Amino acid sequence: MGPTGCGKTSLMNILAARVAGLKMADTELTGSIYINGHLRDDSTFRKLSAYVLQDDRLYPHLTVHETLLMSAHFYMSDDVTLDEKERLVTNVINELGLAKTRDTIIGDEKVRGVSGGERKRANIAVQLISDP
C-alpha cells in the first residue's frame, strides 16, 4: 500500500515480468529477480503466473453471471458444452463470494452496479475462467 504515484503498479509490472529492460533518458531498470534461489526465466514465469490489472475492462451493463459466461464462451473451446461452461461459471462465482451479486450488473462510474470489491473479484473471476 502507498500513496498515488509511488510506483505500486510499476513494481507489480516488474515483478510480473510485464516490463522489459526499461531505458529512458534518465531512468534505467537493472537487476535480477530470483525465485527460490534461482534466477527467474521471464517467459516461463509469465506462463505460470498472472495478476489482475488495476483497470478493469468489463461491460458495465452485463451482470456478473453474463460477464463470466461471455468469458467462458470466449476463452474455452467450442468442444466444451454450455452445461460445462455454466458449471465452471457457477463454481467460480461461489468460490469468489459473488453468489449474492450473480444477477447484479457490473456498473461503472455512470451506472450503479456491484461494489468496488465485487467488481475486482469479478475481474479476478474473468482471469480464472481464462485459466492462466
Side-chain angles (χ1 to χ4, degrees):
M1 294 292 178
T4 301
C6 72
K8 300 180 297 287
T9 300
S10 296
L11 176 62
M12 288 299 296
N13 284 332
I14 291 165
L15 293 176
R18 290 183 177 216
V19 177
L22 177 67
K23 290 191 181 191
M24 296 187 291
D26 60 349
T27 306
E28 184 177 355
L29 177 61
T30 62
S32 301
I33 297 176
Y34 288 81
I35 299 174
N36 295 330
H38 296 72
L39 186 61
R40 178 184 73 191
D41 176 79
D42 288 352
S43 63
T44 301
F45 185 76
R46 279 189 217 101
K47 293 176 187 172
L48 299 174
S49 67
Y51 81 93
V52 178
L53 296 173
Q54 179 173 301
D55 298 325
D56 54 25
R57 301 282 188 247
L58 303 177
Y59 291 104
H61 296 287
L62 293 180
T63 66
V64 170
H65 178 260
E66 291 167 338
T67 298
L68 298 182
L69 191 57
M70 182 180 71
S71 294
H73 287 307
F74 181 73
Y75 288 116
M76 300 176 81
S77 166
D78 290 338
D79 296 337
V80 179
T81 67
L82 179 59
D83 284 344
E84 291 171 310
K85 291 175 184 176
E86 283 279 4
R87 195 169 20 260
L88 174 64
V89 166
T90 299
N91 288 341
V92 170
I93 285 173
N94 290 334
E95 282 292 318
L96 293 179
L98 293 169
K100 290 182 181 178
T101 62
R102 179 188 188 279
D103 297 317
T104 305
I105 63 170
I106 296 294
D108 61 12
E109 63 278 350
K110 297 176 186 170
V111 179
R112 185 174 173 91
V114 296
S115 71
E118 291 162 340
R119 184 177 303 114
K120 185 70 169 181
R121 281 184 278 147
N123 212 4
I124 292 168
V126 168
Q127 296 297 315
L128 290 174
I129 296 288
S130 73
D131 193 24

